[in-house]
Amino acid sequence: MRAVITVIGKDMVGILAGVSNICVKYNVNIMEVSQSIMQDLFAMIMLADISDSNAPFAQLKEELTEYGKQNALSVHIMHEDIFNSMHRV
Amino acid sequence: MLNTNDILETIHMIQDENLDIRTITMGISLLDCADSDIDRMCGKIYDKICRYAGNLVKTGEDIEAEYGIPIINKRISVTPAAMVAAACPDKNPVKIAHALDRAAKQVGVNFLGGYSALVHKGFGPGDYALIESIPQALAETERVCSSVNIGSTKAGINMDAVAKMGHIVRQCAELTADNNCFGAAKLVIFCNAPEDNPFMAGAFHGVGEPDCVVNVGVSGPGVVRAALAKAPDANLTEVADIVKRTAFKITRMGQLVAQEASRRLCVPFGIVDLSLAPTPAVGDSVAHILEEMGLESCGAHGTTACLALLNDAVKKGGVMASSHVGGLSGAFIPVSEDAGMIDAARCGALSLTKLEAMTAVCSVGLDMIAIPGDTPAEIISAILADEAAIGMVNSKTTAIRLIPAIGKKPGEDMEFGGLFGSAPIMDVNTYSPLKFISRGGRIPAPLQSLKN
């Protein structure tokens, strides 16, 4: 299963490293990354393969959310299908 | 890869605009539970619900976590209880309500619908006893919801049932007077009741349905309002287009969740109900969509036209997004559950007569409306008859959920709390319809041709 990780917040050093580290910890393979700065807001979107993840989805989600809270970022991880079904006919 | 803007749009809809799946409702047939021994029947009902719906709440929560979409309610609808109660017509069917309530608590759903009777053409065995027991059943149980279908376009309106239901609505309120008359909020009276509606309190599992089915109700008035707010000068053709596009996206999400729930529960997928169901939360109001279209307040002249546009556009956008659409599908206008409606009713912009007109073009009917506690049963019956007539003639569902606020007068408020919100008590016309209601009989089914 593939999931989309989004990170939105104020730009600072180490966001990509922070999120990637969590992915490594859970054996999640990052397949694509795109990032942009909108005004001074940092938006990063990662497509990750979580089929070989070594922990339940909920735990990964919790850790990412917690990372977001600590760094004043909004971090979400959601199943890829939600975006495909909403935006592609 | 996916478009960044699309991804951010979805997240924005969920985080800031209250987009959610309002309910996953599992429909369960109780027909095979019928038994001439009521205790044995209650045992079978309890066992079947627990067996089929044991994983419903857990599955809903799993999907919610994985897809990141809030799924607000997990619920159950069952075969109208009057049908199984017919197997032992001399027993008080309230025992069935208790069995349903126990099962609902056991599997962890917050409401279970189907303590119902379909009497649009007349009372069958079991129907009368069940209807008589509704006030007691709703007062003594916590999670059971009830509905009665009193008319249809094909059958006309059963005015004996209408007269009876006026008294039943009052009794429901009286028996729960110490709990905000909440019994009446769990009772819906229908004309043209849909058999696959996932929304409470009017959900039941129709007789034409399979043994078990999963239906999903989506919501998202906040998303539609936000989309319209971005186009303040659009003409109404463009407004309808924006609503359609937004409804399409919302419904696609519902379709995904419905399919996923169906797969995980190993239960057939029934329908997606593409409704705009408001909540009292700020930014989750259907009234505010109407105001966004250009009304100073919901209830102003023009409200019916705006609502007609909205209701139609929601359906048009939604039908293409789902393989099976059903239920009530359209815009709900419950007064107590919609922040904009509450404000409009409080300031006097929205009256009961305007609401009645709006129900001719919305997806449901007079919903969650508090009326003065001293309103006599025949006036309640007459409101039911008016509303059923609108549904019957227009070949649409109309539902009525009135709450006689025992001991309270117009201008006061009923506070239900949570998703049920608060309802200002609205004035009713007090001229008597007693003679009309006491005539009884049936209003014949309307012509389906010569439509003018």
Side-chain angles (χ1 to χ4, degrees), chain A residues 19-83:
Chain A
V19 176
S20 313
N21 267 332
I22 297 173
C23 290
V24 172
K25 184 173 152 194
Y26 286 93
N27 198 34
V28 166
N29 183 26
I30 299 168
M31 304 168 76
E32 278 187 59
V33 182
S34 92
Q35 59 178 50
S36 54
I37 308 284
M38 297 187 302
Q39 285 143 6
D40 61 343
L41 218 57
F42 172 85
M44 178 173 75
I45 294 169
M46 283 177 165
L47 185 64
D49 185 348
I50 58 168
S51 24
D52 295 327
S53 168
N54 54 22
F57 184 83
Q59 199 179 325
L60 171 61
K61 182 177 173 140
E62 201 175 307
E63 176 137 0
L64 284 167
T65 313
E66 189 52 38
Y67 169 80
K69 268 190 205 153
Q70 281 168 11
N71 295 284
L73 297 163
S74 159
V75 182
H76 299 279
I77 177 163
M78 290 156 82
H79 197 297
E80 177 196 34
D81 281 354
I82 185 94
F83 304 103

Side-chain angles (χ1 to χ4, degrees), chain B residues 28-38 41-42 44-45 48-49 78-91 93 95-97 99-100 114-118 125-127 130 205 207:
Chain B
I28 301 173
S29 169
L30 299 184
L31 290 173
D32 55 347
C33 301
D35 197 305
S36 53
D37 178 337
I38 193 156
M41 175 156 71
C42 288
K44 285 188 198 172
I45 290 173
K48 183 165 185 184
I49 294 173
V78 296
T79 307
M83 291 183 179
V84 288
C88 39
D90 53 338
K91 295 285 192 308
K95 278 190 173 181
I96 300 175
L100 294 172
Y115 196 70
S116 306
L118 311 178
D127 290 337
L130 183 119
H205 185 72
V207 282

Side-chain angles (χ1 to χ4, degrees), chain A residues 6 32 61 82 85 87-88, chain B residues 1 10-11 65-66 69 252:
Chain A
T6 55
E32 278 187 59
K61 182 177 173 140
I82 185 94
S85 69
H87 299 285
R88 286 187 189 165
Chain B
M1 188 177 168
T10 300
I11 289 176
E66 218 164 279
I69 319 158
R252 289 288 283 183

